[in-house]
Every structure is written in structure tokens, then in C-alpha cells.
Amino acid sequence: MIVIQRIRMVFPKVKIILFTFLAVVTIVCHTLVDRYKKSGPEMLTDNWNFHAQKIGRAEKKGNELVLFSSDKKTSINIRQDIPFFIQGSILKLSADMKCEDIEPGEKSWNRARLLLVQHDGQKDRWDLAHLVASFTGTRDWRSYGNFFIIVPETQKIRVTAQLSRCTGSFHLKNVHLFPVTQTRIYTWVKKSILTLWGIFGIFLLVFCFFTCHKQILLKVMLVLAFIAIIIGTTMPSGMKTQLSKQISTQIHVADETVDQLLPWDITKTGHFCFFVLFGLVLSLLMSRDPVILIMIHIFLLAGGTEMAQFYIDGRSPLFWDFVIDIGGGLSGILLIELSGINKSEITNSGLKP
């Protein structure tokens, strides 16, 4: 008992130190290690197509592409179809861009934008990553770039500079599109970072097993919640999007009212619920510990899952996802605290082996 109490006192500090170390290493590696290297020739030519209404203009001045619009009811486009590409390849689209007095339109995408759009033979795939950058207001010249995976279903791709139902002027130069491959050092760093975060997550879970009450059912529930959280975190973007659409469609067909009541998209709602379960079960298992210690576990797991997304294909750590995860975990703790459940009775119940 004395040994366990000492572990309970020392381990929170150890876990925070480990988390901080891993977070710093992850950010430094993400910043300094190049993910891709150029593997093929330039794919763009000077054959741009200009689409502008009478109240706007789209033109090429020297080495600049220029778009201007004074009417939010229309869109101005400069685009180029890419005739030759390899399905499954990775392309980098980059450009130097600036904008002046961009007034956004009604929709969130009604801005100045540079896009790479994939078409599956029937429709544009807006569910896939397509945005290099979007702008409002006034921005001076700056370089922007993004990487795009060309999915097997893609039949056509096009590069589009656009004023999407917004007003102002948009300027681009040094627009480049070329294939890339992942560097060996990045592959090694990715495997190492994800392995370390995986070990850290297991370390958190094991700590709960060896220092909490011997509740088989509760521990099984904790493991299931943990596995669900990890799957949701490590799922590649394409698979996540497809799964989200399938579940949303089923919910919409079953009950449209439920679909409208969901506060976020289905994946974020699911993550929130699994963190609620994790926080709830952890609160019961760690009934002898102060609430702050349970909260630390929630923060570390939520932070670790977001940091790991630096190295998950198509994913990136988002502050609001972290907030949603924390909100779910704290909601689980709060449910136990407000329910009036006598945690000591549960820990002494027949759930013991």
C-alpha cells in the first residue's frame, strides 16, 4: 500500500514531463524534417483558361495571374486542367500570392482561393483535400503550398485560382505543380514518433490498471474507450471521411431529427462521447484520487492524440478538437460527481474478481 501511494504521488509529475518531452520532440521534428522531395517535372503550362464576367476580370500580366471582382453574385476563375497524372501519386501545389480588399461572400468558402480539385468522372470531389490557401482582407506577397494525394477514383484534376462570390483583387505568381515522394528520414521519424506516442498512451492506461481498484468490468470499459479514441485518432483522412459519410447517411435515414441535433460532424461527436466514457470510467476507477489527477490524465490523453496527428496522413492537430476531447472527459467526471454515486460502494461491489 505504501509503495502504491508513493507511485501515485510521483507518477503524475513523470507523466507530465514525458508528455512535455514528446510534444517538444514532435513539434521540432515536424518543423525541421522535410516530408517530401520533388520526384518529377513541372506539370503546369502557360495554357490557363480565364473565366470572368463583365464586372470582373481574369488575366495574365507578365508572370502574374490577376483576378478582380466587384460583384459578390459571381465568381472569377483562372484554371488549368492537368492532362497527365498518376492515380495514387502525391502532388505539391504552391504559389506566391497576395490579395487586396477581399470582402468575403455569404458562405465560408466565398473568398480568394487557390485549389487543386479532383473529379471522379461524375462530380468534383470537394470531400477530398483541395485547398492551398484562402484569403480575406489585404495580404502582402507570401509563399503558400500544400500536398494532395490523388485518389484511385480520380479521372481529372484541375488547378483553380478563384474569387468565389467575393470582391477585391487576387494576385498569384510562381505557380507550380509537381509530383513528390516521401523522404526516408521522414518515414523513420514518423514511425518513431507514433511509436513513442503509442507507448505513452499505453503507459497511461497501465498506470490506471496497477494503481486503481481491481474492477474487471470498469477496466474493460476503460480499455474499449481507449481503443475507440486511438482508432479515431489514427484513422487516415480518407477513411475517416468515408466512414463519417456512411454513418451520417444512416442516421439521416433512420431519424432526420437526430441528425439535425448533433452539435458537430459525426466523428467529432463520437470522439466527444468516447472521452465522456473514458472520463466517467476513470473517475470511478480512481475514486481514491483527487479530481485534479483524473483531469491530468484526460488532458494528457487528449493532448497526446492531437499531437500524434502531425504524423497521420491527411490529419493535423486542431485546438478545437483538443477542446472537444477535454470537454468530453470533464463531462464524464462531472456526471459522476453530480450523480451522487457513492464511488466507495462501487469499488467494494461485486464487480471485483
Side-chain angles (χ1 to χ4, degrees), residues 264-281:
W264 310 290
D265 70 67
I266 191 65
T267 56
K268 295 186 188 301
T269 302
H271 232 231
F272 177 85
C273 293
F274 286 126
F275 264 93
V276 169
L277 177 61
F278 190 84
L280 188 150
V281 176

mmCIF file of all heavy atoms in Angstrom, residues 264-281:
data_model
loop_
_atom_site.group_PDB
_atom_site.id
_atom_site.type_symbol
_atom_site.label_atom_id
_atom_site.label_comp_id
_atom_site.label_asym_id
_atom_site.label_seq_id
_atom_site.Cartn_x
_atom_site.Cartn_y
_atom_site.Cartn_z
ATOM 1 N N TRP A 264 -21.837 18.660 -33.791
ATOM 2 C CA TRP A 264 -20.700 18.670 -34.708
ATOM 3 C C TRP A 264 -20.899 17.565 -35.734
ATOM 4 O O TRP A 264 -21.906 16.861 -35.714
ATOM 5 C CB TRP A 264 -19.388 18.436 -33.945
ATOM 6 C CG TRP A 264 -19.205 19.305 -32.757
ATOM 7 C CD1 TRP A 264 -18.976 20.653 -32.755
ATOM 8 C CD2 TRP A 264 -19.226 18.913 -31.371
ATOM 9 N NE1 TRP A 264 -18.852 21.118 -31.473
ATOM 10 C CE2 TRP A 264 -18.997 20.074 -30.593
ATOM 11 C CE3 TRP A 264 -19.406 17.692 -30.722
ATOM 12 C CZ2 TRP A 264 -18.953 20.050 -29.219
ATOM 13 C CZ3 TRP A 264 -19.362 17.661 -29.342
ATOM 14 C CH2 TRP A 264 -19.143 18.820 -28.602
ATOM 15 N N ASP A 265 -19.911 17.405 -36.637
ATOM 16 C CA ASP A 265 -19.993 16.260 -37.535
ATOM 17 C C ASP A 265 -19.835 14.983 -36.720
ATOM 18 O O ASP A 265 -19.390 14.993 -35.574
ATOM 19 C CB ASP A 265 -18.941 16.354 -38.654
ATOM 20 C CG ASP A 265 -17.524 16.147 -38.142
ATOM 21 O OD1 ASP A 265 -17.206 15.028 -37.706
ATOM 22 O OD2 ASP A 265 -16.726 17.110 -38.192
ATOM 23 N N ILE A 266 -20.188 13.868 -37.325
ATOM 24 C CA ILE A 266 -20.341 12.623 -36.571
ATOM 25 C C ILE A 266 -19.042 12.161 -35.916
ATOM 26 O O ILE A 266 -19.056 11.586 -34.832
ATOM 27 C CB ILE A 266 -20.922 11.520 -37.496
ATOM 28 C CG1 ILE A 266 -21.346 10.301 -36.671
ATOM 29 C CG2 ILE A 266 -19.924 11.136 -38.569
ATOM 30 C CD1 ILE A 266 -22.491 10.583 -35.728
ATOM 31 N N THR A 267 -17.889 12.408 -36.555
ATOM 32 C CA THR A 267 -16.625 11.950 -35.978
ATOM 33 C C THR A 267 -16.287 12.726 -34.710
ATOM 34 O O THR A 267 -15.817 12.146 -33.727
ATOM 35 C CB THR A 267 -15.483 12.092 -36.994
ATOM 36 O OG1 THR A 267 -15.401 13.455 -37.448
ATOM 37 C CG2 THR A 267 -15.717 11.194 -38.197
ATOM 38 N N LYS A 268 -16.521 14.034 -34.721
ATOM 39 C CA LYS A 268 -16.244 14.832 -33.523
ATOM 40 C C LYS A 268 -17.222 14.486 -32.404
ATOM 41 O O LYS A 268 -16.849 14.444 -31.225
ATOM 42 C CB LYS A 268 -16.307 16.329 -33.861
ATOM 43 C CG LYS A 268 -15.233 16.783 -34.834
ATOM 44 C CD LYS A 268 -15.252 18.282 -35.009
ATOM 45 C CE LYS A 268 -14.310 18.726 -36.120
ATOM 46 N NZ LYS A 268 -12.918 18.325 -35.878
ATOM 47 N N THR A 269 -18.479 14.231 -32.770
ATOM 48 C CA THR A 269 -19.468 13.812 -31.776
ATOM 49 C C THR A 269 -19.061 12.481 -31.154
ATOM 50 O O THR A 269 -19.148 12.289 -29.929
ATOM 51 C CB THR A 269 -20.860 13.683 -32.420
ATOM 52 O OG1 THR A 269 -21.232 14.938 -32.998
ATOM 53 C CG2 THR A 269 -21.898 13.274 -31.395
ATOM 54 N N GLY A 270 -18.586 11.549 -31.998
ATOM 55 C CA GLY A 270 -18.140 10.257 -31.495
ATOM 56 C C GLY A 270 -16.958 10.388 -30.559
ATOM 57 O O GLY A 270 -16.907 9.748 -29.496
ATOM 58 N N HIS A 271 -15.985 11.239 -30.944
ATOM 59 C CA HIS A 271 -14.815 11.448 -30.098
ATOM 60 C C HIS A 271 -15.218 12.017 -28.749
ATOM 61 O O HIS A 271 -14.706 11.602 -27.702
ATOM 62 C CB HIS A 271 -13.838 12.388 -30.803
ATOM 63 C CG HIS A 271 -12.451 11.860 -30.885
ATOM 64 N ND1 HIS A 271 -11.344 12.567 -30.494
ATOM 65 C CD2 HIS A 271 -11.990 10.662 -31.293
ATOM 66 C CE1 HIS A 271 -10.259 11.829 -30.674
ATOM 67 N NE2 HIS A 271 -10.631 10.681 -31.159
ATOM 68 N N PHE A 272 -16.148 12.988 -28.753
ATOM 69 C CA PHE A 272 -16.644 13.581 -27.511
ATOM 70 C C PHE A 272 -17.267 12.496 -26.616
ATOM 71 O O PHE A 272 -16.977 12.424 -25.418
ATOM 72 C CB PHE A 272 -17.679 14.661 -27.824
ATOM 73 C CG PHE A 272 -18.300 15.295 -26.603
ATOM 74 C CD1 PHE A 272 -17.681 16.351 -25.959
ATOM 75 C CD2 PHE A 272 -19.506 14.823 -26.109
ATOM 76 C CE1 PHE A 272 -18.257 16.935 -24.833
ATOM 77 C CE2 PHE A 272 -20.086 15.390 -24.989
ATOM 78 C CZ PHE A 272 -19.465 16.450 -24.357
ATOM 79 N N CYS A 273 -18.081 11.639 -27.218
ATOM 80 C CA CYS A 273 -18.770 10.610 -26.436
ATOM 81 C C CYS A 273 -17.785 9.601 -25.854
ATOM 82 O O CYS A 273 -17.944 9.163 -24.702
ATOM 83 C CB CYS A 273 -19.806 9.908 -27.313
ATOM 84 S SG CYS A 273 -21.192 10.960 -27.800
ATOM 85 N N PHE A 274 -16.777 9.207 -26.629
ATOM 86 C CA PHE A 274 -15.802 8.248 -26.117
ATOM 87 C C PHE A 274 -14.963 8.857 -24.990
ATOM 88 O O PHE A 274 -14.585 8.157 -24.049
ATOM 89 C CB PHE A 274 -14.902 7.748 -27.242
ATOM 90 C CG PHE A 274 -15.583 6.780 -28.165
ATOM 91 C CD1 PHE A 274 -15.613 6.992 -29.532
ATOM 92 C CD2 PHE A 274 -16.208 5.655 -27.654
ATOM 93 C CE1 PHE A 274 -16.245 6.095 -30.378
ATOM 94 C CE2 PHE A 274 -16.849 4.748 -28.494
ATOM 95 C CZ PHE A 274 -16.869 4.974 -29.860
ATOM 96 N N PHE A 275 -14.682 10.155 -25.073
ATOM 97 C CA PHE A 275 -13.973 10.803 -23.972
ATOM 98 C C PHE A 275 -14.877 10.941 -22.749
ATOM 99 O O PHE A 275 -14.397 10.906 -21.613
ATOM 100 C CB PHE A 275 -13.424 12.176 -24.406
ATOM 101 C CG PHE A 275 -11.997 12.136 -24.849
ATOM 102 C CD1 PHE A 275 -11.674 11.961 -26.177
ATOM 103 C CD2 PHE A 275 -10.964 12.247 -23.937
ATOM 104 C CE1 PHE A 275 -10.356 11.903 -26.598
ATOM 105 C CE2 PHE A 275 -9.638 12.193 -24.331
ATOM 106 C CZ PHE A 275 -9.327 12.019 -25.666
ATOM 107 N N VAL A 276 -16.192 11.123 -22.970
ATOM 108 C CA VAL A 276 -17.130 11.107 -21.842
ATOM 109 C C VAL A 276 -17.050 9.761 -21.124
ATOM 110 O O VAL A 276 -16.935 9.705 -19.893
ATOM 111 C CB VAL A 276 -18.578 11.359 -22.324
ATOM 112 C CG1 VAL A 276 -19.563 11.072 -21.189
ATOM 113 C CG2 VAL A 276 -18.742 12.798 -22.789
ATOM 114 N N LEU A 277 -17.085 8.686 -21.904
ATOM 115 C CA LEU A 277 -16.996 7.349 -21.310
ATOM 116 C C LEU A 277 -15.661 7.155 -20.600
ATOM 117 O O LEU A 277 -15.614 6.616 -19.479
ATOM 118 C CB LEU A 277 -17.169 6.290 -22.403
ATOM 119 C CG LEU A 277 -17.040 4.823 -21.963
ATOM 120 C CD1 LEU A 277 -18.102 4.483 -20.923
ATOM 121 C CD2 LEU A 277 -17.146 3.893 -23.165
ATOM 122 N N PHE A 278 -14.572 7.600 -21.230
ATOM 123 C CA PHE A 278 -13.252 7.450 -20.630
ATOM 124 C C PHE A 278 -13.170 8.212 -19.303
ATOM 125 O O PHE A 278 -12.693 7.681 -18.287
ATOM 126 C CB PHE A 278 -12.181 7.957 -21.588
ATOM 127 C CG PHE A 278 -10.776 7.641 -21.160
ATOM 128 C CD1 PHE A 278 -10.198 6.425 -21.455
ATOM 129 C CD2 PHE A 278 -10.021 8.577 -20.455
ATOM 130 C CE1 PHE A 278 -8.903 6.117 -21.051
ATOM 131 C CE2 PHE A 278 -8.726 8.293 -20.051
ATOM 132 C CZ PHE A 278 -8.155 7.056 -20.356
ATOM 133 N N GLY A 279 -13.639 9.455 -19.295
ATOM 134 C CA GLY A 279 -13.613 10.247 -18.069
ATOM 135 C C GLY A 279 -14.507 9.676 -16.992
ATOM 136 O O GLY A 279 -14.143 9.659 -15.804
ATOM 137 N N LEU A 280 -15.665 9.168 -17.389
ATOM 138 C CA LEU A 280 -16.604 8.592 -16.423
ATOM 139 C C LEU A 280 -16.009 7.351 -15.748
ATOM 140 O O LEU A 280 -16.009 7.229 -14.515
ATOM 141 C CB LEU A 280 -17.903 8.253 -17.156
ATOM 142 C CG LEU A 280 -19.113 7.802 -16.338
ATOM 143 C CD1 LEU A 280 -20.399 8.208 -17.033
ATOM 144 C CD2 LEU A 280 -19.110 6.287 -16.141
ATOM 145 N N VAL A 281 -15.495 6.423 -16.563
ATOM 146 C CA VAL A 281 -14.943 5.184 -16.014
ATOM 147 C C VAL A 281 -13.682 5.471 -15.204
ATOM 148 O O VAL A 281 -13.470 4.897 -14.128
ATOM 149 C CB VAL A 281 -14.641 4.190 -17.149
ATOM 150 C CG1 VAL A 281 -13.970 2.934 -16.593
ATOM 151 C CG2 VAL A 281 -15.915 3.820 -17.886
#
